[in-house]
Amino acid sequence: MSDPGELARRCAETMYADDKVAQDLGMEVTGVAPGRAVLRMTLTPAMVNGHGIAHGGYLFLLADSAFAYACNTHGAVTVAASADVVFVAPARAGDVLEATAVERTRYGRSGVYDVTVRRVPDGDVIAEFRGGSRSRRESVLGEAAEPLD
């Protein structure tokens, strides 16, 4: 496919169709472009811990999902090789969170992506995430994948 934007969109649609985690948690893909993805999720009462704030696992999950969509925009099935998160501020039930993933670099079959999780609409940063990716030889779209280094 010659249009990178169209490839990114098709990859996201294909992934989301089988992404039961994102669907069950009410995540929505609100933007996608080559090496980029934006996902939103509303925190439910079931997602908060005993302190009344968002459980870190759900924040990580949202960031990791945005990372996954961003690193799969190039067409090759790409998985996480590493991930790290810093929790910056609390979020609470009812908060709408937006995770924006941005590709920093790709080299051979590897990549580095940064994800910022913000509360909507005030834009407060809730978490920062960095993920390392590794591409496989399969295609997200089930077509013949382009050769990888």
Side-chain angles (χ1 to χ4, degrees), residues 1 7-8 10-12 14-15 18 71-79 135-148:
M1 179 172 303
L7 175 61
R10 285 188 54 210
C11 287
T14 299
M15 285 178 58
D18 291 327
C71 66
N72 278 275
T73 58
H74 301 290
V77 170
T78 305
V79 297
S135 294
R136 300 173 45 103
R137 300 203 184 280
E138 298 88 9
S139 169
V140 174
L141 302 176
E143 302 163 348
E146 292 185 23
L148 299 171

PDB file of all heavy atoms in Angstrom, residues 1 7-8 10-12 14-15 18 71-79 135-148:
ATOM      1  N   MET A   1       0.859  -1.177   0.000  1.00  0.00           N
ATOM      2  CA  MET A   1       0.000   0.000   0.000  1.00  0.00           C
ATOM      3  C   MET A   1       0.902   1.237   0.000  1.00  0.00           C
ATOM      4  O   MET A   1       1.801   1.349   0.820  1.00  0.00           O
ATOM      5  CB  MET A   1      -0.886  -0.045   1.241  1.00  0.00           C
ATOM      6  CG  MET A   1      -1.796   1.114   1.368  1.00  0.00           C
ATOM      7  SD  MET A   1      -2.987   0.935   2.697  1.00  0.00           S
ATOM      8  CE  MET A   1      -3.777  -0.580   2.244  1.00  0.00           C
ATOM      9  N   LEU A   7      -2.617   3.087   5.225  1.00  0.00           N
ATOM     10  CA  LEU A   7      -2.100   1.862   5.834  1.00  0.00           C
ATOM     11  C   LEU A   7      -2.275   1.918   7.351  1.00  0.00           C
ATOM     12  O   LEU A   7      -2.746   0.955   7.963  1.00  0.00           O
ATOM     13  CB  LEU A   7      -0.626   1.658   5.479  1.00  0.00           C
ATOM     14  CG  LEU A   7       0.061   0.468   6.155  1.00  0.00           C
ATOM     15  CD1 LEU A   7      -0.604  -0.847   5.769  1.00  0.00           C
ATOM     16  CD2 LEU A   7       1.549   0.464   5.802  1.00  0.00           C
ATOM     17  N   ALA A   8      -1.930   3.041   7.956  1.00  0.00           N
ATOM     18  CA  ALA A   8      -2.071   3.196   9.413  1.00  0.00           C
ATOM     19  C   ALA A   8      -3.530   3.022   9.834  1.00  0.00           C
ATOM     20  O   ALA A   8      -3.831   2.316  10.801  1.00  0.00           O
ATOM     21  CB  ALA A   8      -1.552   4.563   9.846  1.00  0.00           C
ATOM     22  N   ARG A  10      -6.002   1.434   8.228  1.00  0.00           N
ATOM     23  CA  ARG A  10      -6.444   0.047   8.025  1.00  0.00           C
ATOM     24  C   ARG A  10      -5.866  -0.883   9.092  1.00  0.00           C
ATOM     25  O   ARG A  10      -6.549  -1.796   9.556  1.00  0.00           O
ATOM     26  CB  ARG A  10      -6.065  -0.437   6.623  1.00  0.00           C
ATOM     27  CG  ARG A  10      -6.968   0.162   5.557  1.00  0.00           C
ATOM     28  CD  ARG A  10      -6.755  -0.425   4.180  1.00  0.00           C
ATOM     29  NE  ARG A  10      -6.862  -1.875   4.186  1.00  0.00           N
ATOM     30  CZ  ARG A  10      -6.209  -2.668   3.347  1.00  0.00           C
ATOM     31  NH1 ARG A  10      -5.397  -2.168   2.438  1.00  0.00           N
ATOM     32  NH2 ARG A  10      -6.365  -3.982   3.399  1.00  0.00           N
ATOM     33  N   CYS A  11      -4.608  -0.661   9.464  1.00  0.00           N
ATOM     34  CA  CYS A  11      -3.998  -1.487  10.511  1.00  0.00           C
ATOM     35  C   CYS A  11      -4.745  -1.302  11.829  1.00  0.00           C
ATOM     36  O   CYS A  11      -5.043  -2.279  12.529  1.00  0.00           O
ATOM     37  CB  CYS A  11      -2.519  -1.143  10.678  1.00  0.00           C
ATOM     38  SG  CYS A  11      -1.469  -1.726   9.326  1.00  0.00           S
ATOM     39  N   ALA A  12      -5.082  -0.065  12.178  1.00  0.00           N
ATOM     40  CA  ALA A  12      -5.806   0.200  13.428  1.00  0.00           C
ATOM     41  C   ALA A  12      -7.185  -0.445  13.406  1.00  0.00           C
ATOM     42  O   ALA A  12      -7.606  -1.056  14.398  1.00  0.00           O
ATOM     43  CB  ALA A  12      -5.920   1.706  13.671  1.00  0.00           C
ATOM     44  N   THR A  14      -8.142  -3.057  11.697  1.00  0.00           N
ATOM     45  CA  THR A  14      -7.966  -4.508  11.757  1.00  0.00           C
ATOM     46  C   THR A  14      -7.647  -4.955  13.182  1.00  0.00           C
ATOM     47  O   THR A  14      -8.225  -5.926  13.684  1.00  0.00           O
ATOM     48  CB  THR A  14      -6.845  -4.949  10.786  1.00  0.00           C
ATOM     49  OG1 THR A  14      -7.234  -4.589   9.454  1.00  0.00           O
ATOM     50  CG2 THR A  14      -6.596  -6.446  10.865  1.00  0.00           C
ATOM     51  N   MET A  15      -6.747  -4.233  13.829  1.00  0.00           N
ATOM     52  CA  MET A  15      -6.394  -4.586  15.210  1.00  0.00           C
ATOM     53  C   MET A  15      -7.595  -4.429  16.139  1.00  0.00           C
ATOM     54  O   MET A  15      -7.872  -5.304  16.960  1.00  0.00           O
ATOM     55  CB  MET A  15      -5.245  -3.712  15.704  1.00  0.00           C
ATOM     56  CG  MET A  15      -3.902  -4.088  15.136  1.00  0.00           C
ATOM     57  SD  MET A  15      -2.588  -2.996  15.717  1.00  0.00           S
ATOM     58  CE  MET A  15      -2.687  -3.199  17.485  1.00  0.00           C
ATOM     59  N   ASP A  18     -10.305  -7.150  16.602  1.00  0.00           N
ATOM     60  CA  ASP A  18      -9.990  -8.323  17.419  1.00  0.00           C
ATOM     61  C   ASP A  18      -9.485  -7.961  18.811  1.00  0.00           C
ATOM     62  O   ASP A  18      -9.071  -8.845  19.564  1.00  0.00           O
ATOM     63  CB  ASP A  18      -8.939  -9.188  16.713  1.00  0.00           C
ATOM     64  CG  ASP A  18      -9.495  -9.868  15.472  1.00  0.00           C
ATOM     65  OD1 ASP A  18     -10.697 -10.211  15.467  1.00  0.00           O
ATOM     66  OD2 ASP A  18      -8.729 -10.050  14.506  1.00  0.00           O
ATOM     67  N   CYS A  71       2.769   1.486  17.065  1.00  0.00           N
ATOM     68  CA  CYS A  71       3.881   0.733  16.470  1.00  0.00           C
ATOM     69  C   CYS A  71       3.426  -0.269  15.422  1.00  0.00           C
ATOM     70  O   CYS A  71       4.257  -0.803  14.693  1.00  0.00           O
ATOM     71  CB  CYS A  71       4.777   0.105  17.536  1.00  0.00           C
ATOM     72  SG  CYS A  71       4.075  -1.161  18.557  1.00  0.00           S
ATOM     73  N   ASN A  72       2.137  -0.491  15.296  1.00  0.00           N
ATOM     74  CA  ASN A  72       1.623  -1.381  14.256  1.00  0.00           C
ATOM     75  C   ASN A  72       1.122  -0.629  13.025  1.00  0.00           C
ATOM     76  O   ASN A  72       0.568  -1.237  12.114  1.00  0.00           O
ATOM     77  CB  ASN A  72       0.523  -2.282  14.823  1.00  0.00           C
ATOM     78  CG  ASN A  72       1.102  -3.474  15.545  1.00  0.00           C
ATOM     79  OD1 ASN A  72       1.418  -4.484  14.934  1.00  0.00           O
ATOM     80  ND2 ASN A  72       1.278  -3.353  16.849  1.00  0.00           N
ATOM     81  N   THR A  73       1.320   0.685  12.970  1.00  0.00           N
ATOM     82  CA  THR A  73       0.818   1.485  11.849  1.00  0.00           C
ATOM     83  C   THR A  73       1.597   1.287  10.559  1.00  0.00           C
ATOM     84  O   THR A  73       1.145   1.727   9.505  1.00  0.00           O
ATOM     85  CB  THR A  73       0.828   2.991  12.185  1.00  0.00           C
ATOM     86  OG1 THR A  73       2.170   3.378  12.513  1.00  0.00           O
ATOM     87  CG2 THR A  73      -0.127   3.328  13.314  1.00  0.00           C
ATOM     88  N   HIS A  74       2.752   0.647  10.630  1.00  0.00           N
ATOM     89  CA  HIS A  74       3.585   0.490   9.440  1.00  0.00           C
ATOM     90  C   HIS A  74       3.295  -0.809   8.692  1.00  0.00           C
ATOM     91  O   HIS A  74       3.872  -1.055   7.640  1.00  0.00           O
ATOM     92  CB  HIS A  74       5.061   0.574   9.810  1.00  0.00           C
ATOM     93  CG  HIS A  74       5.408   1.876  10.469  1.00  0.00           C
ATOM     94  ND1 HIS A  74       5.423   3.082   9.784  1.00  0.00           N
ATOM     95  CD2 HIS A  74       5.726   2.171  11.752  1.00  0.00           C
ATOM     96  CE1 HIS A  74       5.747   4.047  10.617  1.00  0.00           C
ATOM     97  NE2 HIS A  74       5.937   3.524  11.814  1.00  0.00           N
ATOM     98  N   GLY A  75       2.405  -1.648   9.250  1.00  0.00           N
ATOM     99  CA  GLY A  75       1.971  -2.841   8.546  1.00  0.00           C
ATOM    100  C   GLY A  75       2.504  -4.149   9.079  1.00  0.00           C
ATOM    101  O   GLY A  75       1.852  -5.174   8.943  1.00  0.00           O
ATOM    102  N   ALA A  76       3.687  -4.150   9.672  1.00  0.00           N
ATOM    103  CA  ALA A  76       4.236  -5.390  10.222  1.00  0.00           C
ATOM    104  C   ALA A  76       3.701  -5.606  11.633  1.00  0.00           C
ATOM    105  O   ALA A  76       3.579  -4.655  12.411  1.00  0.00           O
ATOM    106  CB  ALA A  76       5.760  -5.323  10.263  1.00  0.00           C
ATOM    107  N   VAL A  77       3.358  -6.855  11.960  1.00  0.00           N
ATOM    108  CA  VAL A  77       2.950  -7.171  13.329  1.00  0.00           C
ATOM    109  C   VAL A  77       4.110  -6.799  14.245  1.00  0.00           C
ATOM    110  O   VAL A  77       5.241  -7.246  14.052  1.00  0.00           O
ATOM    111  CB  VAL A  77       2.606  -8.670  13.468  1.00  0.00           C
ATOM    112  CG1 VAL A  77       2.412  -9.042  14.927  1.00  0.00           C
ATOM    113  CG2 VAL A  77       1.366  -9.000  12.651  1.00  0.00           C
ATOM    114  N   THR A  78       3.824  -5.939  15.229  1.00  0.00           N
ATOM    115  CA  THR A  78       4.854  -5.431  16.118  1.00  0.00           C
ATOM    116  C   THR A  78       4.390  -5.593  17.551  1.00  0.00           C
ATOM    117  O   THR A  78       3.246  -5.284  17.877  1.00  0.00           O
ATOM    118  CB  THR A  78       5.151  -3.950  15.801  1.00  0.00           C
ATOM    119  OG1 THR A  78       5.495  -3.843  14.404  1.00  0.00           O
ATOM    120  CG2 THR A  78       6.288  -3.412  16.627  1.00  0.00           C
ATOM    121  N   VAL A  79       5.285  -6.083  18.390  1.00  0.00           N
ATOM    122  CA  VAL A  79       4.962  -6.373  19.783  1.00  0.00           C
ATOM    123  C   VAL A  79       5.897  -5.608  20.713  1.00  0.00           C
ATOM    124  O   VAL A  79       6.945  -5.118  20.300  1.00  0.00           O
ATOM    125  CB  VAL A  79       5.040  -7.889  20.071  1.00  0.00           C
ATOM    126  CG1 VAL A  79       4.007  -8.648  19.239  1.00  0.00           C
ATOM    127  CG2 VAL A  79       6.446  -8.426  19.800  1.00  0.00           C
ATOM    128  N   SER A 135       9.401  -5.724  15.650  1.00  0.00           N
ATOM    129  CA  SER A 135       8.524  -6.136  14.555  1.00  0.00           C
ATOM    130  C   SER A 135       8.791  -7.582  14.178  1.00  0.00           C
ATOM    131  O   SER A 135       9.924  -8.056  14.220  1.00  0.00           O
ATOM    132  CB  SER A 135       8.736  -5.245  13.328  1.00  0.00           C
ATOM    133  OG  SER A 135       8.319  -3.926  13.607  1.00  0.00           O
ATOM    134  N   ARG A 136       7.717  -8.245  13.801  1.00  0.00           N
ATOM    135  CA  ARG A 136       7.784  -9.633  13.342  1.00  0.00           C
ATOM    136  C   ARG A 136       7.640  -9.646  11.826  1.00  0.00           C
ATOM    137  O   ARG A 136       7.423  -8.608  11.218  1.00  0.00           O
ATOM    138  CB  ARG A 136       6.692 -10.437  14.041  1.00  0.00           C
ATOM    139  CG  ARG A 136       6.871 -10.415  15.570  1.00  0.00           C
ATOM    140  CD  ARG A 136       5.730 -11.055  16.303  1.00  0.00           C
ATOM    141  NE  ARG A 136       5.326 -12.305  15.725  1.00  0.00           N
ATOM    142  CZ  ARG A 136       5.639 -13.509  16.218  1.00  0.00           C
ATOM    143  NH1 ARG A 136       6.342 -13.605  17.309  1.00  0.00           N
ATOM    144  NH2 ARG A 136       5.208 -14.607  15.628  1.00  0.00           N
ATOM    145  N   ARG A 137       7.698 -10.788  11.248  1.00  0.00           N
ATOM    146  CA  ARG A 137       7.636 -10.887   9.788  1.00  0.00           C
ATOM    147  C   ARG A 137       6.212 -10.974   9.250  1.00  0.00           C
ATOM    148  O   ARG A 137       5.999 -10.881   8.055  1.00  0.00           O
ATOM    149  CB  ARG A 137       8.461 -12.071   9.317  1.00  0.00           C
ATOM    150  CG  ARG A 137       9.915 -11.920   9.737  1.00  0.00           C
ATOM    151  CD  ARG A 137      10.856 -12.721   8.889  1.00  0.00           C
ATOM    152  NE  ARG A 137      12.222 -12.615   9.389  1.00  0.00           N
ATOM    153  CZ  ARG A 137      13.033 -11.600   9.165  1.00  0.00           C
ATOM    154  NH1 ARG A 137      12.628 -10.586   8.453  1.00  0.00           N
ATOM    155  NH2 ARG A 137      14.249 -11.594   9.661  1.00  0.00           N
ATOM    156  N   GLU A 138       5.220 -11.094  10.119  1.00  0.00           N
ATOM    157  CA  GLU A 138       3.821 -11.163   9.684  1.00  0.00           C
ATOM    158  C   GLU A 138       3.266  -9.761   9.428  1.00  0.00           C
ATOM    159  O   GLU A 138       3.744  -8.787   9.975  1.00  0.00           O
ATOM    160  CB  GLU A 138       2.964 -11.848  10.749  1.00  0.00           C
ATOM    161  CG  GLU A 138       3.336 -13.274  11.040  1.00  0.00           C
ATOM    162  CD  GLU A 138       4.405 -13.408  12.117  1.00  0.00           C
ATOM    163  OE1 GLU A 138       4.751 -12.409  12.773  1.00  0.00           O
ATOM    164  OE2 GLU A 138       4.904 -14.520  12.298  1.00  0.00           O
ATOM    165  N   SER A 139       2.213  -9.715   8.635  1.00  0.00           N
ATOM    166  CA  SER A 139       1.542  -8.462   8.325  1.00  0.00           C
ATOM    167  C   SER A 139       0.288  -8.308   9.184  1.00  0.00           C
ATOM    168  O   SER A 139      -0.451  -9.280   9.378  1.00  0.00           O
ATOM    169  CB  SER A 139       1.139  -8.428   6.848  1.00  0.00           C
ATOM    170  OG  SER A 139       0.273  -7.339   6.590  1.00  0.00           O
ATOM    171  N   VAL A 140       0.054  -7.111   9.676  1.00  0.00           N
ATOM    172  CA  VAL A 140      -1.165  -6.811  10.432  1.00  0.00           C
ATOM    173  C   VAL A 140      -2.394  -7.092   9.578  1.00  0.00           C
ATOM    174  O   VAL A 140      -3.411  -7.586  10.073  1.00  0.00           O
ATOM    175  CB  VAL A 140      -1.175  -5.345  10.912  1.00  0.00           C
ATOM    176  CG1 VAL A 140      -2.507  -4.986  11.568  1.00  0.00           C
ATOM    177  CG2 VAL A 140      -0.008  -5.069  11.859  1.00  0.00           C
ATOM    178  N   LEU A 141      -2.302  -6.821   8.299  1.00  0.00           N
ATOM    179  CA  LEU A 141      -3.439  -6.962   7.396  1.00  0.00           C
ATOM    180  C   LEU A 141      -3.542  -8.342   6.775  1.00  0.00           C
ATOM    181  O   LEU A 141      -4.438  -8.575   5.964  1.00  0.00           O
ATOM    182  CB  LEU A 141      -3.350  -5.894   6.294  1.00  0.00           C
ATOM    183  CG  LEU A 141      -3.311  -4.446   6.781  1.00  0.00           C
ATOM    184  CD1 LEU A 141      -3.133  -3.496   5.612  1.00  0.00           C
ATOM    185  CD2 LEU A 141      -4.548  -4.118   7.589  1.00  0.00           C
ATOM    186  N   GLY A 142      -2.649  -9.246   7.140  1.00  0.00           N
ATOM    187  CA  GLY A 142      -2.695 -10.596   6.605  1.00  0.00           C
ATOM    188  C   GLY A 142      -2.155 -10.716   5.200  1.00  0.00           C
ATOM    189  O   GLY A 142      -2.231 -11.757   4.576  1.00  0.00           O
ATOM    190  N   GLU A 143      -1.601  -9.622   4.693  1.00  0.00           N
ATOM    191  CA  GLU A 143      -1.007  -9.631   3.349  1.00  0.00           C
ATOM    192  C   GLU A 143       0.470  -9.977   3.492  1.00  0.00           C
ATOM    193  O   GLU A 143       0.993 -10.050   4.600  1.00  0.00           O
ATOM    194  CB  GLU A 143      -1.151  -8.246   2.713  1.00  0.00           C
ATOM    195  CG  GLU A 143      -2.590  -7.772   2.614  1.00  0.00           C
ATOM    196  CD  GLU A 143      -2.726  -6.281   2.370  1.00  0.00           C
ATOM    197  OE1 GLU A 143      -1.721  -5.552   2.503  1.00  0.00           O
ATOM    198  OE2 GLU A 143      -3.838  -5.842   2.066  1.00  0.00           O
ATOM    199  N   ALA A 144       1.145 -10.142   2.403  1.00  0.00           N
ATOM    200  CA  ALA A 144       2.589 -10.391   2.454  1.00  0.00           C
ATOM    201  C   ALA A 144       3.276  -9.175   3.066  1.00  0.00           C
ATOM    202  O   ALA A 144       3.068  -8.047   2.605  1.00  0.00           O
ATOM    203  CB  ALA A 144       3.127 -10.659   1.058  1.00  0.00           C
ATOM    204  N   ALA A 145       4.004  -9.390   4.115  1.00  0.00           N
ATOM    205  CA  ALA A 145       4.695  -8.292   4.783  1.00  0.00           C
ATOM    206  C   ALA A 145       5.928  -7.899   3.983  1.00  0.00           C
ATOM    207  O   ALA A 145       6.548  -8.723   3.316  1.00  0.00           O
ATOM    208  CB  ALA A 145       5.090  -8.697   6.199  1.00  0.00           C
ATOM    209  N   GLU A 146       6.283  -6.615   4.082  1.00  0.00           N
ATOM    210  CA  GLU A 146       7.510  -6.163   3.447  1.00  0.00           C
ATOM    211  C   GLU A 146       8.688  -6.738   4.207  1.00  0.00           C
ATOM    212  O   GLU A 146       8.609  -6.937   5.421  1.00  0.00           O
ATOM    213  CB  GLU A 146       7.561  -4.636   3.453  1.00  0.00           C
ATOM    214  CG  GLU A 146       6.508  -3.999   2.561  1.00  0.00           C
ATOM    215  CD  GLU A 146       6.643  -2.508   2.491  1.00  0.00           C
ATOM    216  OE1 GLU A 146       7.756  -1.992   2.751  1.00  0.00           O
ATOM    217  OE2 GLU A 146       5.654  -1.853   2.183  1.00  0.00           O
ATOM    218  N   PRO A 147       9.800  -7.008   3.544  1.00  0.00           N
ATOM    219  CA  PRO A 147      10.963  -7.564   4.239  1.00  0.00           C
ATOM    220  C   PRO A 147      11.450  -6.613   5.340  1.00  0.00           C
ATOM    221  O   PRO A 147      11.435  -5.399   5.172  1.00  0.00           O
ATOM    222  CB  PRO A 147      12.025  -7.685   3.128  1.00  0.00           C
ATOM    223  CG  PRO A 147      11.276  -7.572   1.845  1.00  0.00           C
ATOM    224  CD  PRO A 147      10.028  -6.813   2.119  1.00  0.00           C
ATOM    225  N   LEU A 148      11.862  -7.209   6.448  1.00  0.00           N
ATOM    226  CA  LEU A 148      12.394  -6.445   7.569  1.00  0.00           C
ATOM    227  C   LEU A 148      13.882  -6.711   7.702  1.00  0.00           C
ATOM    228  O   LEU A 148      14.360  -7.774   7.329  1.00  0.00           O
ATOM    229  CB  LEU A 148      11.701  -6.860   8.872  1.00  0.00           C
ATOM    230  CG  LEU A 148      10.184  -6.626   8.916  1.00  0.00           C
ATOM    231  CD1 LEU A 148       9.603  -7.265  10.150  1.00  0.00           C
ATOM    232  CD2 LEU A 148       9.873  -5.152   8.883  1.00  0.00           C
TER     233      LEU A 148
END
